[in-house]
Amino acid sequence: MTIQNHFPYVNNKMFAENVALHDIAEQVGTPFYCYSNTAIAENFQHYQQAFSDQEVLICYAIKANSNQAVLTTLAKLGSGADVVSEGEIRRARAAGISAAKIVYSGVAKSASEIEYALSEGIFQFNVESEPELKLISQIATRLEKVAAIAFRINPDVCANTHEKISTGKAENKFGVPISQAKIAYRRAAELPGIKVQGVDVHIGSQLTELAPFEEAYKRIAQLVTELKEDGHDIQVIDIGGGLGITYDNEVIPPKTHYAAIAKTQLGHLNCKIVIEPGRSLLGNAGILVSRVVFVKTGEERQFLILDAGMNDLVRPSMYEAHHEILAVNKANAAMKTYDVVGPVCETGDTFAKARSVNICQSGDLIAIMSSGAYGAVMASTYNTRMLAPEVMVKDNEYAIIRHRPSYEEVINADAVPNWV
Ligand SMILES: *Cc1c(COP(=O)(O)O)cnc(C)c1O
């Protein structure tokens, strides 16, 4: 069972903190994303506590959920940001995250993005290749700036996660192979406009065990020792993100154990530790609320057809991801087995097959759990469906933090040339 403490049932009706989801649905319409501000803050504070005896910079991986209200919540708690585009740098800065707390990851940073990051004065570029390093050096030299860099090291460990979110094997596109790291650092130290400051590793997402982290950090510790012997002043070790969440029945090691492994493997190196959690801060702090449009009886199955689709939450069709599906009103305790599907014209638009849910009727509200990370940010307007609005709840208050666009906004974003 998913653990989403801030979405409790009260008298058989699901709440977000102290607000009934029914009330939000009445005002906002469905589908909508709903986030618990308290859950986000608690998740962040658990990381702070777990690393409290270590110099740490928590850089929220904002690609998991980049709504400005989410970023502002985390910025006020002291979070930095792990970004993967100029757009995300701009979002982080707009939310009040200082440039000195921004690390910039990504395999394809463009010249104009690098220039923007340098002009802002970010904390660190996590460099993924030698061509990228050369480009950063050229641009920094031209602007008379110095880029602080870490190489993202591919430690060649298997993260035991879904192949689409595994990044630390030798065959993945990410980072510099650990076998070539020392040469890469030697070259970097000779380039103008570059300050070698750190080592970075991120092996994948939704990891449910600590052993792959431990193995990766062990290899990184060895590398840092060797780099120091080579005369590099390594001050930062960025250990990436990737700690998983419970979607179904995964047992996730506590953040304190995760921190203990990092400290055991890396603590003696006297470096500042950067962590880049995304999913583990937001995933179970959010849900997607949808309405049953029709209950359809097929020849072999019963279908619950929702007003949310794969364009709103793509994880089930993209990663075969499991999300718990709960009736918002559980007053009728009888259960039934349904295929839960969306309205999009694709067979892949399926949230769950043969899932037991409280018996539903057209018009009932459904909560798709654990949708706070990689949900709204991956949504599209496929089938000209309006992006689902996002709502944040705190105690007994709630606010729309991204509105549902009007049809006019969406249609008028296109332009028809006069020669058509
Ligand atoms: C996606 C990503 C993260 C965050 O991963 P989570 O699994 O959401 O914690 C951190 N660092 C980098 C480089 C990433 O690409």
Side-chain angles (χ1 to χ4, degrees):
M1 283 291 264
T2 310
I3 305 155
Q4 293 201 249
N5 299 332
H6 294 285
F7 297 92
Y9 280 96
V10 181
N11 296 329
N12 284 322
K13 298 207 171 68
M14 194 188 290
F15 278 58
E17 302 200 22
N18 287 316
V19 180
L21 290 175
H22 276 111
D23 293 345
I24 304 177
E26 283 303 308
Q27 194 211 327
V28 178
T30 53
F32 64 91
Y33 278 96
C34 183
Y35 310 124
S36 158
N37 181 276
T38 306
I40 297 168
E42 281 181 8
N43 289 337
F44 183 83
Q45 284 156 350
H46 289 158
Y47 270 115
Q48 275 183 320
Q49 286 151 16
F51 282 92
S52 58
D53 51 355
Q54 167 82 43
E55 194 190 351
V56 71
L57 175 61
I58 305 173
C59 289
Y60 167 54
I62 74 179
K63 72 176 194 278
N65 184 324
S66 52
N67 187 289
Q68 294 302 131
V70 169
L71 300 186
T72 304
T73 299
L74 289 166
K76 286 190 172 165
L77 294 168
S79 185
D82 170 46
V83 303
V84 293
S85 68
E86 177 174 339
E88 287 192 349
I89 301 174
R90 288 178 184 270
R91 279 192 176 276
R93 297 290 292 120
I97 296 175
S98 98
K101 289 185 181 176
I102 294 178
V103 296
Y104 185 6
S105 306
V107 290
K109 304 173 187 77
S110 72
S112 63
E113 290 183 307
I114 291 166
E115 185 162 338
Y116 180 73
L118 281 167
S119 71
E120 285 290 293
I122 63 163
F123 176 66
Q124 178 169 294
F125 288 84
N126 288 341
V127 177
E128 303 238 8
S129 66
E130 294 216 31
E132 180 192 331
L133 181 75
K134 285 194 186 124
L135 185 59
I136 295 173
S137 166
Q138 279 166 15
I139 296 170
T141 307
R142 170 162 57 78
L143 299 178
E144 297 180 357
K145 305 245 182 211
V146 176
I149 69 111
F151 276 109
R152 175 168 177 179
I153 302 302
N154 185 326
D156 194 20
V157 299
C158 180
N160 290 338
T161 185
H162 191 279
E163 59 173 308
K164 284 187 187 163
I165 48 176
S166 174
T167 59
K169 282 289 290 168
E171 72 240 33
N172 298 131
K173 71 178 174 184
F174 299 97
V176 173
I178 195 160
S179 56
Q180 295 167 27
K182 287 170 75 176
I183 300 167
Y185 273 91
R186 225 165 282 160
R187 293 212 187 104
E190 288 164 2
L191 283 178
I194 297 289
K195 175 187 157 209
V196 169
Q197 108 176 354
V199 173
D200 166 49
V201 65
H202 171 74
I203 57 174
S205 200
Q206 184 53 15
L207 272 71
T208 56
E209 34 188 300
L210 293 178
F213 288 120
E214 188 167 28
E215 187 55 37
Y217 300 165
K218 204 173 276 178
R219 294 182 191 192
I220 292 300
Q222 178 61 30
L223 174 65
V224 170
T225 303
E226 292 173 17
L227 290 174
K228 286 186 173 188
E229 284 164 11
D230 282 357
H232 301 288
D233 185 16
I234 304 296
Q235 296 166 357
V236 177
I237 303 176
D238 181 339
I239 63 173
L243 191 62
I245 63 166
T246 302
Y247 285 100
D248 185 6
N249 48 20
E250 304 91 332
V251 179
I252 306 299
K255 296 184 180 84
T256 46
H257 292 191
Y258 170 73
I261 278 181
K263 281 181 269 188
T264 305
Q265 298 301 329
L266 305 167
H268 61 288
L269 296 163
N270 293 322
C271 288
K272 181 189 190 103
I273 300 285
V274 173
I275 62 173
E276 303 171 344
R279 188 188 313 269
S280 51
L281 291 180
L282 260 295
N284 274 334
I287 62 176
L288 175 61
V289 180
S290 178
R291 220 179 261 288
V292 176
V293 182
F294 297 115
V295 183
K296 178 173 160 181
T297 308
E299 265 180 15
E300 295 173 6
R301 295 155 188 264
Q302 292 267 328
F303 293 96
L304 271 191
I305 307 179
L306 305 185
D307 65 2
M310 63 188 287
N311 70 297
D312 300 301
L313 177 67
V314 78
R315 298 190 69 262
S317 37
M318 186 157 167
Y319 310 115
E320 293 108 41
H322 178 103
H323 285 263
E324 233 186 294
I325 294 180
L326 299 175
V328 168
N329 184 344
K330 275 194 180 175
N332 180 354
M335 308 291 280
K336 201 168 200 167
T337 301
Y338 296 104
D339 280 10
V340 184
V341 304
V344 171
C345 305
E346 304 248 0
T347 305
D349 187 19
T350 298
F351 291 113
K353 288 198 167 139
R355 194 68 74 76
S356 178
V357 185
N358 290 69
I359 290 183
C360 283
Q361 293 173 348
S362 154
D364 287 353
L365 291 175
I366 290 289
I368 304 177
M369 308 305 285
S370 311
S371 304
Y374 307 107
V377 283
M378 294 178 97
S380 78
T381 56
Y382 187 40
N383 281 205
T384 305
R385 292 166 41 75
M386 300 301 100
L387 288 180
E390 294 172 276
V391 172
M392 182 176 275
V393 178
K394 185 175 183 180
D395 192 14
N396 56 9
E397 287 187 286
Y398 72 95
I400 296 173
I401 59 171
R402 188 181 71 193
H403 75 276
R404 190 189 312 277
S406 69
Y407 288 114
E408 289 72 26
E409 268 177 270
V410 170
I411 293 170
N412 293 339
D414 298 354
V416 183
N418 61 12
W419 39 260
V420 165

